[in-house]
Amino acid sequence: MCGIVGYIGTRAASNILMEGLRKLEYRGYDSAGIATVLEGELHCVRAKGKLQNLQEKLDGLDNPARLGIGHTRWATHGKPEEYNAHPHRDTEGRIAVVQNGIIENYRELREILKAKGHEFRSDTDTEVVPHLVADYLNKPVAGAQGLTAQSALLEAVRLACKNLEGAFALAIISVDFPDELIVVRQQAPLVIGFGQGEFFCASDTPAIVPYTRAVLPLENGELARLTPLGVEVYDFEGVRLRKHPLTLNWNPIMVEKQGFKHFMLKEIYEQPGVVRTCLETYIDSTWTATNAGASPMKLGLADDLLEGLEHVQIVACGTSWHASLVGKYLLEQLAGIPTMVQYASEFRYAPSPLTRHTLTIGVTQSGETADTLAALDMEQQRRTLHSNADLKPRMLGITNRAESSLSRLVPHIIDTHAGIEIGVAATKTFTAQVMAFYFLALELAYRRQTLSSQRIQEIIEGLWQLPAQIEQVLESQERYIEDLAHNFADTQDFIFLGRGINFPIALEGALKLKEISYIHAEGYPAGEMKHGPIALLDAKVPVVAIAMPGSVYDKVLSNAQEAKARDAQLIGVVPMNDPEAEETFDELLPVPVVDELLSPLLAVIPLQLLAYHIAARRGLDVDQPRNLAKSVTVE
């Protein structure tokens, strides 16, 4: 949510800021702006709507400033109007601030500052920050340990931050300090980039990957001073910290469309490669049932994390929650471990009673989802403080961003290796998360001896076939689904049905459709349709049913027939060349026949394509759907 970019160096800042903001468009926003310092003046340009509106205001302006900050805003406090757009300034217009997150006590601070003569021009929480910094700059303050006389702006920002409550990331510049860019992190992501004689900051790494792969993610409670000479990092007490950048395993081509019309379609087509990477990373290719002296998995997880488990609890949001529901099925059916899946936003305020020998898993594609991180932090703290050793924390994260906050919060990570995902509607990262749960379930099944070595080998062999089978679905189905999508350009409602391991896929199919096409869609367990949802059905409500061979195949066909009897148009995700399915459904989205256990990874592909093509047919912004953000970093 929102995007921050900052630059200090030898090049024109405005061009770099705008390019960085374009790379962050996927995060979701409704206004944008930049501020630069040049020849003793603060230049601020803001615009409502898309970046093109801001670019039009900048076109023709000669601005060689080498220091600046930029922002794309997703409205929280105040309407999405230009006067609420970032950057925000103090009364005298000498300090500019951009912020991600929420300042929870801004009302109290605003009243205190207004009483001192500060004038406010927006409805945002952010505007208190430049006024508060200006207030401290006007006071003589004692330097903290490690700060120098030349760091007055940094000291004023540090003191201001100690007054702020909430989750926030900040980038701050001032006319009076033309060689300094101050950045702050408190419960909202911010990363510093190291170039040759230039430095960057951003709320997410795609903004700076075109310029550098050497980055330093700030930790909570840290602020940094960027100058043309280098970077200094401090904690909120003013103590200088010694930190070293890391190198990202990314390149600029990863954030380009590579000939696809949208990032979402590109990422759907990247899924076979993602699955192959996961398999090559985490499965021992030399393992066989007859040579089973060690686990076939290469997760690198400590024995004390997994041994003697009695329960698993998973916290997640959105698409990650759906992947976790598939994970619950796998952990219970393969490894025999009772598993709960909780919405992280609910778990924070109503956590489950503590249970013995419990593994807590946080699932977030970005590794920055605020609710998931807060839920994990709370669970870790309440278990750490408990005197009973059986209740001590066992924490695991599943993420696509190994350098994220999640990896610094929990001691163990499964990196899903999906590569950067730009489309707001998750596709390849969902598939990669599900793969992570297959690996974890098989590791635990091996340790607990709940599956025979022969059965484990069968599942692994099936997993190795998936990349080619996903490619087969993409090659055979996309053109047909593109044509089928024409039938639903004016549809208002959809129902998705699934049972067993494919019920979460029905939920995910419905979520994808409503996220990017704005069509109301709901997913249900097929057996629950008679308990209410059937009242919604008529000829105007299409029903998509996932009917894969296995234990519930006949039941799903029966439920589909009930929908057909109410005149609903039936679309079936079904096995290839299945005569019974051909008789039941009006439209078929066939996939290769696989073990029911593996079917979610194939069944989800045509549902992703269906959502994509309906949205594209309706002329909508597929990659940046309204009101949504890629990484939800506020509660």
Side-chain angles (χ1 to χ4, degrees):
M1 298 180 114
C2 302
I4 288 176
V5 181
Y7 175 78
I8 185 167
T10 58
R11 292 187 272 180
S14 59
N15 295 333
I16 293 172
L17 297 175
M18 287 300 295
E19 285 304 310
L21 293 178
R22 290 188 184 97
K23 294 295 190 296
L24 297 180
E25 282 190 286
Y26 69 91
R27 293 173 68 92
Y29 70 104
D30 46 56
S31 60
I34 68 169
T36 56
V37 171
L38 178 65
E39 296 178 350
E41 293 186 7
L42 185 67
H43 300 267
C44 186
V45 182
R46 304 182 295 180
K48 179 182 176 180
K50 292 297 185 181
L51 279 175
Q52 181 58 35
N53 299 337
L54 178 61
Q55 185 64 63
E56 289 172 359
K57 286 190 171 186
L58 293 172
D59 287 344
L61 297 179
D62 182 18
N63 184 359
R66 298 175 182 180
L67 167 66
I69 53 178
H71 192 265
T72 50
R73 177 179 186 253
W74 189 88
T76 55
H77 297 76
K79 294 180 180 180
E81 300 290 348
E82 182 177 319
Y83 65 87
N84 285 325
H86 296 214
H88 288 287
R89 290 159 287 181
D90 66 317
T91 302
E92 296 180 1
R94 303 189 70 79
I95 299 168
V97 175
V98 294
Q99 175 215 336
N100 285 358
I102 293 175
I103 308 298
E104 294 176 353
N105 62 331
Y106 80 98
R107 290 186 182 89
E108 304 95 283
L109 294 173
R110 190 180 180 111
E111 292 306 311
I112 293 170
L113 290 163
K114 285 171 68 176
K116 294 182 176 183
H118 292 265
E119 298 176 4
F120 287 81
R121 301 178 179 88
S122 80
D123 303 321
T124 70
D125 56 328
T126 304
E127 197 181 357
V128 301
V129 180
H131 289 279
L132 197 57
V133 172
D135 197 55
Y136 276 109
L137 277 173
N138 291 331
K139 296 178 182 177
V141 295
Q145 178 186 348
L147 295 179
T148 69
Q150 287 74 37
S151 305
L153 178 60
L154 180 66
E155 175 66 352
V157 171
R158 184 185 74 84
L159 293 171
C161 287
K162 292 174 75 69
N163 290 272
L164 303 178
E165 298 175 5
F168 52 87
L170 305 170
I172 303 166
I173 58 175
S174 170
V175 167
D176 300 310
F177 301 86
D179 293 320
E180 296 187 32
L181 167 59
I182 308 299
V183 296
V184 181
R185 173 185 174 142
Q186 179 63 12
Q187 304 294 339
L190 199 71
V191 62
I192 298 169
F194 292 71
Q196 295 293 325
E198 58 186 359
F199 299 93
F200 311 82
C201 75
S203 50
D204 204 357
T205 43
I208 56 180
V209 165
Y211 309 104
T212 180
R213 289 190 295 153
V215 302
L216 175 64
L218 288 182
E219 304 284 353
N220 291 330
E222 292 182 352
L223 68 165
R225 178 174 178 255
L226 284 60
T227 75
L229 300 179
V231 174
E232 304 166 5
V233 181
Y234 300 85
D235 65 19
F236 278 11
E237 300 306 316
V239 177
R240 179 83 178 265
L241 305 175
R242 303 298 175 186
K243 309 194 76 171
H244 302 283
L246 55 87
T247 301
L248 290 175
N249 186 25
W250 291 3
N251 59 65
I253 199 67
M254 296 172 70
V255 294
E256 302 299 334
K257 291 180 183 175
Q258 299 175 3
F260 287 90
K261 187 176 181 180
H262 296 98
F263 281 109
M264 182 179 177
L265 186 60
K266 168 180 173 279
E267 288 152 5
I268 289 172
Y269 270 83
E270 287 175 342
Q271 289 175 111
V274 169
V275 174
R276 285 191 182 96
T277 298
C278 289
L279 292 166
E280 292 166 358
T281 302
Y282 292 120
I283 291 184
D284 181 354
S285 60
T286 66
W287 189 92
T288 65
T290 57
N291 182 29
S295 171
M297 298 297 116
K298 301 187 297 181
L299 294 175
L301 300 176
D303 289 341
D304 59 3
L305 182 73
L306 302 180
E307 289 299 329
L309 285 182
E310 295 180 6
H311 300 91
V312 172
Q313 61 181 5
I314 307 171
V315 292
C317 302
T319 286
S320 297
W321 190 77
H322 297 158
S324 299
L325 290 177
V326 178
K328 168 183 166 68
Y329 187 98
L330 296 171
L331 290 166
E332 292 186 337
Q333 302 305 313
L334 298 186
I337 303 178
T339 302
M340 296 186 300
V341 181
Q342 306 265 31
Y343 285 112
S345 56
E346 293 297 316
F347 185 84
R348 291 178 64 176
Y349 301 103
S352 302
L354 293 176
T355 52
R356 297 172 358 116
H357 305 300
T358 297
L359 174 64
T360 302
I361 306 175
V363 187
T364 156
Q365 68 86 21
S366 67
E368 303 291 353
T369 305
D371 284 319
T372 304
L373 295 180
L376 291 171
D377 185 51
M378 179 194 69
E379 184 68 1
Q380 187 155 257
Q381 288 188 41
R382 71 175 184 147
R383 286 182 175 272
T384 299
L385 296 172
H386 209 286
S387 59
N388 189 336
D390 292 345
L391 298 177
K392 292 302 181 183
R394 303 190 194 194
M395 312 295 290
L396 172 67
I398 296 177
T399 183
N400 190 42
R401 305 290 288 274
E403 78 285 359
S404 66
S405 298
L406 178 67
S407 65
R408 298 187 291 279
L409 177 63
V410 300
H412 305 281
I413 288 288
I414 298 178
D415 182 351
T416 59
H417 294 287
I420 188 168
E421 185 175 64
I422 299 296
V424 168
T427 51
K428 65 177 182 175
T429 55
F430 169 80
T431 298
Q433 288 173 349
V434 172
M435 290 297 294
F437 277 114
Y438 277 101
F439 302 145
L440 181 61
L442 288 172
E443 171 70 23
L444 288 167
Y446 177 84
R447 287 172 177 262
R448 296 162 66 90
Q449 298 185 338
T450 53
L451 293 179
S452 68
S453 295
Q454 185 61 43
R455 177 57 176 150
I456 291 175
Q457 182 171 325
E458 289 174 1
I459 296 171
I460 290 174
E461 289 173 351
L463 288 170
W464 279 108
Q465 299 301 314
L466 283 173
Q469 291 168 332
I470 295 173
E471 287 171 343
Q472 183 181 355
V473 174
L474 291 169
E475 291 170 3
S476 64
Q477 288 294 307
E478 195 202 346
R479 184 60 60 86
Y480 171 74
I481 291 174
E482 183 177 7
D483 292 338
L484 179 64
H486 293 193
N487 300 338
F488 307 113
D490 299 318
T491 299
Q492 299 298 313
D493 301 280
F494 258 86
I495 300 291
F496 289 74
L497 302 176
R499 293 190 85 150
I501 196 170
N502 280 306
F503 164 53
I505 303 305
L507 294 176
E508 177 62 10
L511 178 62
K512 283 294 148 292
L513 184 64
K514 57 189 163 189
E515 279 183 317
I516 62 171
S517 74
Y518 316 147
I519 294 173
H520 172 248
E522 298 294 339
Y524 293 100
E528 290 296 304
M529 189 176 64
K530 295 187 294 294
H531 298 275
I534 199 168
L536 299 171
L537 298 186
D538 58 27
K540 296 181 180 179
V541 181
V543 174
V544 180
I546 302 165
M548 302 303 293
S551 59
V552 295
Y553 177 65
D554 292 335
K555 299 295 183 182
V556 175
L557 289 183
S558 176
N559 299 140
Q561 290 284 7
E562 293 166 352
K564 191 172 186 177
R566 274 74 183 176
D567 296 323
Q569 182 176 357
L570 277 184
I571 303 167
V573 179
V574 298
M576 289 180 174
N577 304 316
D578 186 297
E580 193 169 1
E582 292 174 3
E583 291 181 9
T584 302
F585 294 97
D586 300 308
E587 304 288 350
L588 300 177
L589 305 179
V591 300
V593 178
V594 294
D595 190 312
E596 182 180 28
L597 190 76
L598 305 178
S599 61
L601 290 165
L602 294 181
V604 75
I605 305 300
L607 301 186
Q608 293 172 346
L609 288 171
L610 182 66
Y612 169 78
H613 282 295
I614 291 175
R617 177 64 181 172
R618 289 162 71 98
L620 300 173
D621 192 340
V622 173
D623 290 330
Q624 300 167 41
R626 68 188 182 199
N627 302 331
L628 296 180
K630 183 66 177 172
S631 181
V632 182
T633 56
V634 297
E635 182 178 357

